[in-house]
Amino acid sequence: MACCHYFAPSDGGDEAFAVEGATVAFGAGVLAEAGDHAAALGIRRVALMTDKVLAGLPQVAAVRRSLTAAGLDVVLYDEVRVEPTDESFKAATRFATEGNFDGFVSVGGGSVIDTCKAANLYSTYPADFLTYVNAPIGGGQPVPGPLKPHIACPTTCGTGSECTGIAIFDLLEMQAKTGIVSRRLRPTQALVDPACTDTLPKNVVAASAFDVLSHALESYTALPYSKRAAPKRPSQRPLSQGANPWSDLGCREALQILGGNMVKGVIEKDATDARHQLMWAATLAGIAFGNAGCHAPHGMSYAVSGLVRNFQPDGYPADAPIVPHGMSVIVNAPSVFRFTAPACPDRHLQAAGWLGADTRGAGEADAGEVLAGQIIAMMRATGVPNGIGGVGYSVDDIAALTEGSFPQRRLMDNAPRPISKDDLAGLYRSALAYW
Ligand SMILES: [Zn+2]
C-alpha cells in the first residue's frame, strides 16, 4: 500500500497490516447499560472487579445496580491492587476460579481492567503462571481459545486498556514489569462513560491525559509495520504491529483533541466538556496503540515507576510512594522525541502541529525540538514534574534505570530507530530536567 512513503515496502518486512477494532459504547451515563449488555452476552453469574477505593464510589454502585436489575447474580471482588503484581493476578484468578462465573465486568483504571483480563485468562485456561507471559521472561505461549465475555468500564481518561489485548504487571521475583499480550484478552465490550472524569483530582487528569498523549505520539512515530520482519505465518502477526494507516487515524484525531482540550481539562475544574473530550481521545488512542504498539517513553517508564523512592503526588493515596503511570511516561517523552525525530521528521512535525505548536517555517532538522518544546509547554501549563529529576531521580540513578528498561524489547524494538544501551542511558540523562 503506497498511501504514504512511511509505509514503503522493505526487504523481509511485513506486507500487510491488521485492522482490529474494539467494541465500544461511549456516552455520559453509559455505565447504566452494563446489565443489558451483560445479559445480551449470555452472562448469568458475573464477577464484578474493582479496587478498594473505587468500591465505595458511585461508578461501581451504578454498574452493580444495572447488573442486578438485569437479573444477574453479581459477586464483587474489590481486592485489585493498583500497579498489579503476579501475586495480585493470582489472587484474582483464585477468586475467578472458585466463583464459577460465566462472565466478568471490570470498573476502574488500567490496573483493574488488566487484572480482570488475567483472571479471565487463567481461570478459563489454567496454566503455570509464566506460560502466557511475554517471552523471554515468560513462555510467550498463545492463548488457546476465546475467553469468557468481559465488559470493561474505565474510570480514568488514560490507559485505553478497555480497547487493548494487553495486561501489564510487576513480576515480583524478578522486579520486572512485563505483561501478557494477546488479541484474545481484548474486552468483549467497553463502556466508556466520560462523566467518570467529572470529579477526578487535577493531578489524576494530568497523568491520565499525558498517558493518552504519549500513546498517540508513540503509535504515530513507531517503526512502520512494513519495516518489522514479516511473521512466519500471517496468523502470527503481532498485536503491536508498528505504525500503520489504521492506527494513524486514531492518533491524528486524539492529538488534535488533546491540543485543543488538554490544558483546559486539567486546570479548570468545571471544564466538563474538555474532560469528556479527553475521554474520547483516550479511547481513540487506546484503539491506536492496541494496534500499533508504544515505544521508548513507555519502555523507559517501567523503571521510572518501579524504582520510585519517595515521590508522592497530590490526588493519589498517601500510603506509599508512587510515580503514576502517565507521569512516569511523559517525563521521558521530550528526550525520546528529540532522539527519534531524525527517523521520521515529518511525523514529529505533524504531531507537534496537531498538539498546537506553531510549525510555520520549521524544517526537518527542527522537528524533534518543536515537538519536545510543545510537550514541555503542556507539562509546565498543567504542573507535572520536570523530568525524571522531578520525580526523585538524579544522575546517580541512570545506570539502574537503564538496566531496568533495556530488556523491554517489545517496546524498545518498536521505536523508529535502534536504541543501544548507551543511547538509553543518554535518553535518561537528557530527561533529568527540561526547564
Ligand atoms: Zn500508557
Side-chain angles (χ1 to χ4, degrees):
M1 183 164 169
C3 68
C4 169
H5 71 87
Y6 197 52
F7 305 121
S10 69
D11 274 354
D14 206 346
E15 293 171 352
F17 59 94
V19 175
E20 296 195 23
T23 304
V24 178
F26 184 99
V30 81
L31 293 184
E33 294 186 0
D36 188 53
H37 287 290
L41 287 165
I43 305 175
R44 290 207 153 76
R45 180 170 160 79
V46 64
L48 173 58
M49 295 199 152
T50 189
D51 65 36
K52 275 265 179 320
V53 175
L54 284 162
L57 297 182
Q59 290 90 345
V60 172
V63 170
R64 186 171 201 161
R65 232 179 0 255
S66 171
L67 294 168
T68 308
L72 274 79
D73 182 9
V74 185
V75 186
L76 181 75
Y77 181 81
D78 64 3
E79 305 280 326
V80 169
R81 196 188 129 99
V82 178
E83 301 290 326
T85 64
D86 52 328
E87 286 306 321
S88 72
F89 272 12
K90 286 177 195 165
T93 300
R94 280 194 293 278
F95 167 82
T97 306
E98 288 161 11
N100 229 344
F101 302 104
D102 47 24
F104 295 83
V105 175
S106 55
V107 184
S111 300
V112 172
I113 299 173
D114 286 6
T115 301
C116 197
K117 291 173 184 174
N120 189 357
L121 167 61
Y122 287 99
S123 63
T124 309
Y125 301 104
D128 181 65
F129 185 74
L130 286 177
T131 305
Y132 306 117
V133 173
N134 288 341
I137 289 174
Q141 289 298 309
V143 173
L147 303 188
K148 289 173 183 165
H150 172 191
I151 299 175
C153 310
T155 53
T156 60
C157 46
T159 67
S161 176
E162 68 280 4
C163 299
T164 75
I166 304 171
I168 301 291
F169 66 97
D170 287 308
L171 187 61
L172 293 173
E173 70 197 51
M174 293 180 67
Q175 286 196 310
K177 190 90 106 172
T178 183
I180 307 167
V181 179
S182 165
R183 40 184 58 83
R184 305 249 195 224
L185 250 54
R186 184 180 287 129
T188 325
Q189 169 80 52
L191 298 181
V192 185
D193 188 340
C196 289
T197 63
D198 292 351
T199 51
L200 290 178
K202 172 179 177 257
N203 258 344
V204 176
V205 179
S208 306
F210 273 120
D211 190 25
V212 177
L213 186 144
S214 218
H215 289 155
L217 282 178
E218 292 173 54
S219 300
Y220 194 64
T221 58
L223 190 76
Y225 75 92
S226 54
K227 290 216 177 78
R228 172 185 43 74
K232 284 197 191 75
R233 289 165 45 201
S235 60
Q236 292 173 342
R237 182 167 290 124
L239 206 53
S240 294
Q241 57 184 335
N244 61 82
W246 165 235
S247 57
D248 280 0
L249 293 175
C251 295
R252 183 178 61 207
E253 185 68 14
L255 291 168
Q256 286 175 334
I257 293 171
L258 290 161
N261 296 279
M262 181 162 160
V263 174
K264 187 174 183 195
V266 172
I267 62 177
E268 291 181 24
K269 219 169 121 233
D270 301 323
T272 310
D273 186 58
R275 287 187 173 199
H276 291 198
Q277 293 283 339
L278 296 181
M279 196 70 152
W280 178 229
T283 306
L284 291 170
I287 295 171
F289 94 84
N291 277 265
C294 289
H295 62 82
H298 268 74
M300 293 168 71
S301 78
Y302 297 139
V304 173
S305 56
L307 299 175
V308 60
R309 278 191 294 264
N310 49 21
F311 186 68
Q312 276 185 292
D314 290 341
Y316 287 85
D319 55 350
I322 182 172
V323 185
H325 172 66
M327 285 186 196
S328 72
V329 170
I330 207 65
V331 290
N332 310 310
S335 170
V336 169
F337 292 115
R338 282 176 172 140
F339 175 82
T340 53
C344 46
D346 49 342
R347 289 194 159 233
H348 286 68
L349 262 186
Q350 272 175 329
W354 292 332
L355 285 174
D358 183 356
T359 59
R360 282 173 300 181
E364 294 200 338
D366 310 310
E369 201 46 54
V370 173
L371 179 55
Q374 180 62 22
I375 299 168
I376 291 167
M378 294 171 84
M379 291 167 77
R380 299 186 75 165
T382 51
V384 306
N386 181 5
I388 60 171
V391 295
Y393 295 101
S394 74
V395 70
D396 298 336
D397 299 307
I398 287 175
L401 290 166
T402 305
E403 285 304 324
S405 57
F406 190 66
Q408 299 287 347
R409 297 325 310 172
R410 177 178 69 87
L411 293 158
M412 293 303 181
D413 293 343
N414 205 32
R417 57 182 281 199
I419 301 175
S420 69
K421 215 176 212 180
D422 283 347
D423 291 333
L424 189 54
L427 289 175
Y428 278 122
R429 204 167 298 116
S430 308
L432 281 166
Y434 295 113
W435 62 85

